[in-house]
Amino acid sequence: MITCSAPGKVYLFGEHAVVYGYSAICCAIDLRTRVHVEHSDSIMIESSLGMTRLDLEIHPYVTKVIEKMQEFTEIRGVKIKIESEIPVGSGLGSSAAVTIASIQALNELFSCNLKSEDIAIIGHEIEKQVQGSASPTDTYVSTMGGVVMIPERKKLNSIDCAIVIGNTGKFSSTKKLVANVGELRGEFPNIIDPILTSIGDMSHNAEIFVNHGDYSSIGKLMNVNHGLLDAIGVGGAELSELVYAARNSGAISAKITGAGGGGCIVALANDTDIENVAKAIRNTGAEAMITRNTDKGVRLES
Ligand code: PMV
């Protein structure tokens, strides 16, 4: 049996602005999806959603991965088991992680010789097929790990402090929120474009702070980024409650991560404040997850 894993991600800067070509900074987090594969007589896919054969309803990503991998090798039978620490549909890149880890696991099992760059490209293709549209960010970060500037694909230094995630548990549709921002921009281009430009500029300023480990400056800009996301209409009462709970309990910074509307916030915290920040988030009734940046992208575990 072969096991491969791939990480989820948070946006430190730049979601929504990245849709219009501005820069964003994304950070792989140490919440992983593990995919176990072994040779078998038939195709079986097992996850917390159940056990299926090729099934585009229940296991769309893995089904598409198996279909795609038939271009590189003949897969008559394989048993695939998925275990994930990444909550589904909350903007933390769960679909990218399962896609990337599955590609790598089959790549290893059938010796297809695909390189990281190929895996990231195939992963993005599959996300597009399943979702209709998808940015290459999640699949790229999940493949490469670390901290990455998008669209430049530039690796920055690691973030070396705790990352606390607060999950509203409220479903958020990336497609709908991206469309809402597009509409607002269409109506008030002279107001919204400078905000998106400012978010993109923030990523460039932050690049230097990330590379110097200046968390205080990173934090100030993340807080500004949150305000601008709120300004373009992707915030909400639940998200703001979590952001202020985190900041008021000692977080360095807190902002929406991902599409907004629901989903998650990301807070940076010094080691001494981790528990207080997580507790403050939990006290609002939301889920808190404590994690860190990981340099390990997709990898063979055993
Ligand atoms: O919530 P997520 O992980 O789907 O992130 C969405 C990020 C956006 O910039 C809003 C859209 C995109 O495709 O980049």
Side-chain angles (χ1 to χ4, degrees):
M1 176 153 59
I2 279 177
T3 301
C4 288
S5 73
K9 65 95 198 21
V10 289
Y11 273 94
L12 296 179
F13 297 96
E15 52 273 87
H16 288 286
V18 75
V19 172
Y20 300 93
Y22 298 105
S23 297
I25 298 179
C26 238
C27 169
I29 50 173
D30 205 14
L31 296 175
R32 305 186 74 86
T33 296
R34 290 186 176 76
V35 174
H36 313 278
V37 290
E38 60 187 315
H39 292 289
S40 170
D41 295 338
S42 60
I43 295 176
M44 295 300 284
I45 310 169
E46 187 185 347
S47 74
S48 59
L49 301 174
M51 175 105 95
T52 69
R53 296 184 182 278
L54 290 178
D55 188 323
L56 284 167
E57 291 289 313
I58 295 176
H59 293 125
Y61 296 96
V62 181
T63 298
K64 286 280 179 198
V65 168
I66 296 170
E67 286 174 5
K68 178 74 191 175
M69 293 301 283
Q70 303 277 11
E71 289 177 19
F72 307 102
T73 183
E74 190 187 5
I75 305 177
R76 288 216 187 120
V78 67
K79 197 172 160 201
I80 302 190
K81 188 174 173 194
I82 301 144
E83 288 171 326
S84 188
E85 300 164 352
I86 310 169
V88 174
S90 51
L92 299 179
S94 65
S95 58
V98 74
T99 304
I100 296 299
S102 301
I103 298 170
Q104 178 67 311
L106 295 176
N107 184 35
E108 293 284 348
L109 189 69
F110 292 96
S111 307
C112 300
N113 226 353
L114 296 173
K115 306 278 172 294
S116 303
E117 290 290 343
D118 307 321
I119 291 172
I121 291 167
I122 295 169
H124 179 218
E125 242 174 63
I126 288 168
E127 277 216 319
K128 273 195 296 194
Q129 282 173 15
V130 176
Q131 297 171 9
S133 73
S135 85
T137 311
D138 288 19
T139 34
Y140 187 78
V141 176
S142 189
T143 307
M144 305 300 173
V147 178
V148 183
M149 193 146 180
I150 301 285
E152 295 84 350
R153 301 188 170 207
K154 198 195 265 186
K155 268 244 178 173
L156 310 187
N157 285 349
S158 302
I159 292 285
D160 190 17
C161 69
I163 296 174
V164 185
I165 291 164
N167 186 357
T168 62
K170 190 176 154 190
F171 174 75
S172 114
S173 160
T174 301
K175 203 168 171 181
K176 184 161 170 279
L177 286 146
V178 168
N180 290 351
V181 173
E183 261 173 45
L184 196 63
R185 181 172 176 256
E187 203 174 343
F188 305 108
N190 60 325
I191 308 294
I192 303 302
D193 278 334
I195 297 180
L196 297 173
T197 306
S198 177
I199 293 176
D201 287 349
M202 220 176 277
S203 297
H204 286 284
N205 284 25
E207 177 188 355
I208 298 159
F209 300 137
V210 170
N211 282 339
H212 286 95
D214 179 350
Y215 296 102
S216 159
S217 300
I218 295 169
K220 284 181 199 161
L221 289 183
M222 281 175 70
N223 290 348
V224 176
N225 195 165
H226 176 77
L228 296 184
L229 286 168
D230 218 11
I232 60 173
V234 301
E238 296 94 339
L239 287 163
S240 284
E241 190 184 5
L242 295 190
V243 161
Y244 285 100
R247 287 189 202 164
N248 293 340
S249 58
I252 300 168
S253 58
K255 67 178 270 292
I256 291 165
T257 176
C264 292
I265 65 127
V266 54
L268 300 186
N270 290 314
D271 286 352
T272 44
D273 300 316
I274 300 171
E275 287 307 327
N276 280 343
V277 173
K279 204 165 127 198
I281 290 172
R282 286 183 193 123
N283 281 344
T284 71
E287 181 193 8
M289 287 166 284
I290 299 166
T291 185
R292 297 188 83 86
N293 176 213
T294 178
D295 277 336
K296 295 187 183 98
V298 67
R299 66 195 287 247
L300 174 66
E301 294 209 341
S302 59

